[in-house]
Amino acid sequence: MARTAGRVEGKSAIVTGAGSTPGPGVGTGKAVAVALAREGASVLLVDLWAERAEETRALIEAEGGKAEVFAADCTKAADCERMVAAALEAFGTVDILVNNIGRAQVGTVVDLSEEDWDFALSVNLRTVFLACKYAVPVMAAQGSGSIVNISSISALRGDGTIAYSAAKGGMLAMTVEMAYAHGRQGIRVNAVAPGHIVTPMVKSIPGQDTDYVNTLRNEAGLLGTPGDGWDVASAVAFLASDEARWITGVTLPVDSGVLSVTPLSMARHLRAIPQ
Ligand SMILES: NC(=O)c1ccc[n+]([C@@H]2O[C@H](COP(=O)([O-])OP(=O)(O)OC[C@H]3O[C@@H](n4cnc5c(N)ncnc54)[C@H](O)[C@@H]3O)[C@@H](O)[C@H]2O)c1
């Protein structure tokens, strides 16, 4: 077993979207699930496509970790209710919930259709509401729990994805609101905002996996190096663990510093304009 520091030893976790869009590399939910298992958690792998979650389970079990697959459409209340019940039945507690489901839709307020807006809000935000609706009472009864929401830098910077960005911004508002409402019940709620990471989902978008775009993606960050699902997973494992016991209501960017610079200083950084 590729165990690390045992940060979440003996805890149980639900990871939504724990599969990964097919292709080389690893999605964030898959990486998060594997990382939590390596740190000692038992993980319920929730995905719309069971076969994707099965791949994650195979990875975890090959390393001696513990995981169960649960097929669910997390836009549906009944599925989320059954998901929490399944975690309780399998592991006895729900200590960690990672809300990872998401899908970007390109479009402005003018050209995005009403249907695409509703779909984006449903996949990116309703799933968080429903998963928390059923997990929080369980955590409150336990007197402890840690929720990590996978948002995006699109919540904080223009990206041409009006509905996705609105939903990811909504996640950040929910993070603060739930931290406020449930702190006294021993529940911490934090968010991670990934930047221009490379996942199979990103690679599957036409035009996103060219040398030119990959260079831009790397160079846009202050570190000048590529990031992936494992970088997000490390941040999630920390926030989910008791090492972060006094941290709640925060958003942690995992973005190679993209949020730390203005466009003008970025142009200087890239030496596109004189120093
Ligand atoms: N990849 C990036 O560059 C990037 C950047 C910022 C934020 N994010 C966020 O990270 C998260 C994961 O991204 P990824 O690139 O790993 O995507 P991914 O498509 O590989 O993984 C998402 C998983 O969610 C599952 N899913 C979709 N709808 C579902 C539903 N209704 N119910 C249950 N499962 C469902 C999919 O089957 C898939 O396996 C998303 O929230 C995304 O917005 C990604």
Side-chain angles (χ1 to χ4, degrees):
M1 173 81 184
R3 281 283 170 85
T4 47
R7 285 185 174 81
V8 288
E9 192 68 52
K11 294 186 189 284
S12 74
I14 297 174
V15 178
T16 69
S20 184
T21 293
V26 66
T28 63
K30 189 176 194 173
V32 164
V34 172
L36 290 176
R38 286 178 179 167
E39 295 283 358
S42 303
V43 189
L44 191 75
L45 308 165
V46 182
D47 207 288
L48 192 52
W49 283 280
E51 62 272 24
R52 294 184 179 184
E54 288 292 355
E55 280 186 27
T56 309
R57 169 155 66 179
L59 267 177
I60 291 173
E61 290 185 345
E63 295 183 352
K66 197 171 168 200
E68 299 285 340
V69 167
F70 188 80
D73 179 352
C74 293
T75 64
K76 301 208 160 42
D79 281 21
C80 287
E81 191 173 14
R82 287 193 303 111
M83 167 185 89
V84 173
L88 273 178
E89 195 184 326
F91 310 131
T93 58
V94 178
D95 302 308
I96 296 163
L97 168 66
V98 182
N99 288 304
N100 166 75
I101 294 164
R103 186 155 191 92
Q105 296 78 21
V106 175
T108 69
V109 71
V110 177
D111 54 40
L112 195 79
S113 71
E114 242 181 282
E115 292 72 27
D116 284 350
W117 170 270
D118 288 344
F119 177 77
L121 271 287
S122 180
V123 170
N124 293 297
L125 199 55
R126 181 181 164 85
T127 51
V128 183
F129 168 66
L130 290 176
C132 292
K133 186 173 193 56
Y134 295 104
V136 165
V138 173
M139 291 176 169
Q142 293 168 180
S144 66
S146 176
I147 298 172
V148 184
N149 295 323
I150 309 297
S151 179
S152 167
I153 59 168
S154 299
L156 302 159
R157 293 287 186 277
D159 199 20
T161 53
I162 184 72
Y164 176 73
S165 298
K168 291 297 189 182
M171 269 179 116
L172 301 188
M174 283 183 73
T175 299
V176 173
E177 191 59 43
M178 289 193 293
Y180 168 77
H182 304 295
R184 291 291 199 273
Q185 295 168 317
I187 302 172
R188 296 183 299 105
V189 189
N190 294 293
V192 170
H196 304 296
I197 60 166
V198 183
T199 67
M201 189 269 280
V202 170
K203 281 176 179 272
S204 73
I205 301 169
Q208 284 296 304
D209 194 24
T210 64
D211 287 350
Y212 176 66
V213 175
N214 282 322
T215 302
L216 276 184
R217 189 181 284 120
N218 297 345
E219 289 296 322
L222 299 182
L223 300 173
T225 52
D228 60 22
W230 299 111
D231 296 299
V232 176
S234 300
V236 172
F238 165 67
L239 288 172
S241 78
D242 291 341
E243 287 179 341
R245 69 184 192 110
W246 222 51
I247 301 175
T248 194
V250 307
T251 297
L252 176 60
V254 179
D255 70 340
S256 186
V258 163
L259 290 179
S260 305
V261 286
T262 66
L264 187 61
S265 47
M266 178 53 76
R268 274 202 199 95
H269 171 72
L270 296 175
R271 298 178 189 277
I273 59 174
Q275 300 294 299

